[in-house]
PDB file of all heavy atoms in Angstrom:
ATOM      1  N   PRO A  79      13.079  -5.881 -15.149  1.00  0.00           N
ATOM      2  CA  PRO A  79      13.074  -7.115 -14.363  1.00  0.00           C
ATOM      3  C   PRO A  79      11.734  -7.826 -14.504  1.00  0.00           C
ATOM      4  O   PRO A  79      10.702  -7.198 -14.747  1.00  0.00           O
ATOM      5  CB  PRO A  79      13.297  -6.643 -12.926  1.00  0.00           C
ATOM      6  CG  PRO A  79      12.934  -5.212 -12.923  1.00  0.00           C
ATOM      7  CD  PRO A  79      13.147  -4.696 -14.319  1.00  0.00           C
ATOM      8  N   PRO A  82       7.059 -10.015 -10.412  1.00  0.00           N
ATOM      9  CA  PRO A  82       6.698 -11.104  -9.519  1.00  0.00           C
ATOM     10  C   PRO A  82       5.202 -11.407  -9.618  1.00  0.00           C
ATOM     11  O   PRO A  82       4.408 -10.545  -9.942  1.00  0.00           O
ATOM     12  CB  PRO A  82       7.053 -10.583  -8.124  1.00  0.00           C
ATOM     13  CG  PRO A  82       7.279  -9.137  -8.266  1.00  0.00           C
ATOM     14  CD  PRO A  82       7.465  -8.819  -9.716  1.00  0.00           C
ATOM     15  N   TRP A 110       6.763   3.264  -8.429  1.00  0.00           N
ATOM     16  CA  TRP A 110       6.839   3.654  -9.836  1.00  0.00           C
ATOM     17  C   TRP A 110       5.526   3.436 -10.568  1.00  0.00           C
ATOM     18  O   TRP A 110       5.464   3.588 -11.783  1.00  0.00           O
ATOM     19  CB  TRP A 110       7.963   2.889 -10.535  1.00  0.00           C
ATOM     20  CG  TRP A 110       9.276   3.335  -9.984  1.00  0.00           C
ATOM     21  CD1 TRP A 110       9.941   4.465 -10.345  1.00  0.00           C
ATOM     22  CD2 TRP A 110      10.035   2.738  -8.965  1.00  0.00           C
ATOM     23  NE1 TRP A 110      11.086   4.599  -9.612  1.00  0.00           N
ATOM     24  CE2 TRP A 110      11.176   3.539  -8.742  1.00  0.00           C
ATOM     25  CE3 TRP A 110       9.897   1.586  -8.194  1.00  0.00           C
ATOM     26  CZ2 TRP A 110      12.148   3.233  -7.806  1.00  0.00           C
ATOM     27  CZ3 TRP A 110      10.865   1.294  -7.261  1.00  0.00           C
ATOM     28  CH2 TRP A 110      11.978   2.106  -7.071  1.00  0.00           C
ATOM     29  N   VAL A 155       6.021  -3.841  -8.489  1.00  0.00           N
ATOM     30  CA  VAL A 155       6.560  -3.522  -7.168  1.00  0.00           C
ATOM     31  C   VAL A 155       8.064  -3.599  -7.297  1.00  0.00           C
ATOM     32  O   VAL A 155       8.605  -4.589  -7.763  1.00  0.00           O
ATOM     33  CB  VAL A 155       6.079  -4.542  -6.111  1.00  0.00           C
ATOM     34  CG1 VAL A 155       6.756  -4.268  -4.782  1.00  0.00           C
ATOM     35  CG2 VAL A 155       4.577  -4.482  -5.965  1.00  0.00           C
ATOM     36  N   HIS A 156       8.743  -2.544  -6.907  1.00  0.00           N
ATOM     37  CA  HIS A 156      10.193  -2.543  -7.002  1.00  0.00           C
ATOM     38  C   HIS A 156      10.758  -3.529  -5.995  1.00  0.00           C
ATOM     39  O   HIS A 156      10.277  -3.629  -4.866  1.00  0.00           O
ATOM     40  CB  HIS A 156      10.730  -1.134  -6.720  1.00  0.00           C
ATOM     41  CG  HIS A 156      12.170  -0.995  -7.032  1.00  0.00           C
ATOM     42  ND1 HIS A 156      13.144  -1.273  -6.115  1.00  0.00           N
ATOM     43  CD2 HIS A 156      12.804  -0.632  -8.173  1.00  0.00           C
ATOM     44  CE1 HIS A 156      14.319  -1.078  -6.663  1.00  0.00           C
ATOM     45  NE2 HIS A 156      14.149  -0.697  -7.906  1.00  0.00           N
ATOM     46  N   ALA A 157      11.790  -4.261  -6.379  1.00  0.00           N
ATOM     47  CA  ALA A 157      12.368  -5.308  -5.535  1.00  0.00           C
ATOM     48  C   ALA A 157      12.806  -4.778  -4.173  1.00  0.00           C
ATOM     49  O   ALA A 157      12.759  -5.500  -3.184  1.00  0.00           O
ATOM     50  CB  ALA A 157      13.556  -5.948  -6.260  1.00  0.00           C
ATOM     51  N   ASP A 158      13.233  -3.520  -4.102  1.00  0.00           N
ATOM     52  CA  ASP A 158      13.670  -2.963  -2.826  1.00  0.00           C
ATOM     53  C   ASP A 158      12.539  -2.767  -1.844  1.00  0.00           C
ATOM     54  O   ASP A 158      12.760  -2.557  -0.667  1.00  0.00           O
ATOM     55  CB  ASP A 158      14.349  -1.595  -3.038  1.00  0.00           C
ATOM     56  CG  ASP A 158      15.684  -1.720  -3.752  1.00  0.00           C
ATOM     57  OD1 ASP A 158      16.227  -2.839  -3.834  1.00  0.00           O
ATOM     58  OD2 ASP A 158      16.156  -0.695  -4.245  1.00  0.00           O
ATOM     59  N   HIS A 159      11.276  -2.818  -2.300  1.00  0.00           N
ATOM     60  CA  HIS A 159      10.140  -2.547  -1.439  1.00  0.00           C
ATOM     61  C   HIS A 159       9.315  -3.771  -1.128  1.00  0.00           C
ATOM     62  O   HIS A 159       8.358  -3.692  -0.385  1.00  0.00           O
ATOM     63  CB  HIS A 159       9.244  -1.482  -2.076  1.00  0.00           C
ATOM     64  CG  HIS A 159       9.920  -0.161  -2.157  1.00  0.00           C
ATOM     65  ND1 HIS A 159      10.775   0.169  -3.182  1.00  0.00           N
ATOM     66  CD2 HIS A 159       9.913   0.885  -1.318  1.00  0.00           C
ATOM     67  CE1 HIS A 159      11.232   1.385  -2.977  1.00  0.00           C
ATOM     68  NE2 HIS A 159      10.739   1.840  -1.865  1.00  0.00           N
ATOM     69  N   GLN A 160       9.631  -4.929  -1.680  1.00  0.00           N
ATOM     70  CA  GLN A 160       8.833  -6.119  -1.450  1.00  0.00           C
ATOM     71  C   GLN A 160       8.966  -6.579  -0.007  1.00  0.00           C
ATOM     72  O   GLN A 160      10.059  -6.794   0.483  1.00  0.00           O
ATOM     73  CB  GLN A 160       9.269  -7.251  -2.375  1.00  0.00           C
ATOM     74  CG  GLN A 160       8.901  -7.013  -3.803  1.00  0.00           C
ATOM     75  CD  GLN A 160       9.317  -8.169  -4.686  1.00  0.00           C
ATOM     76  OE1 GLN A 160       9.553  -9.261  -4.205  1.00  0.00           O
ATOM     77  NE2 GLN A 160       9.409  -7.890  -5.961  1.00  0.00           N
ATOM     78  N   GLY A 161       7.825  -6.707   0.649  1.00  0.00           N
ATOM     79  CA  GLY A 161       7.789  -7.264   1.987  1.00  0.00           C
ATOM     80  C   GLY A 161       8.418  -6.425   3.069  1.00  0.00           C
ATOM     81  O   GLY A 161       8.622  -6.896   4.159  1.00  0.00           O
ATOM     82  N   LYS A 162       8.727  -5.176   2.799  1.00  0.00           N
ATOM     83  CA  LYS A 162       9.338  -4.326   3.807  1.00  0.00           C
ATOM     84  C   LYS A 162       8.319  -3.351   4.363  1.00  0.00           C
ATOM     85  O   LYS A 162       7.494  -2.832   3.645  1.00  0.00           O
ATOM     86  CB  LYS A 162      10.507  -3.532   3.223  1.00  0.00           C
ATOM     87  CG  LYS A 162      11.673  -4.407   2.854  1.00  0.00           C
ATOM     88  CD  LYS A 162      12.840  -3.568   2.420  1.00  0.00           C
ATOM     89  CE  LYS A 162      14.002  -4.466   2.049  1.00  0.00           C
ATOM     90  NZ  LYS A 162      15.119  -3.689   1.562  1.00  0.00           N
TER      91      LYS A 162
END
Side-chain angles (χ1 to χ4, degrees):
W110 293 279
V155 175
H156 190 272
D158 291 345
H159 294 84
Q160 289 181 19
K162 292 186 180 177

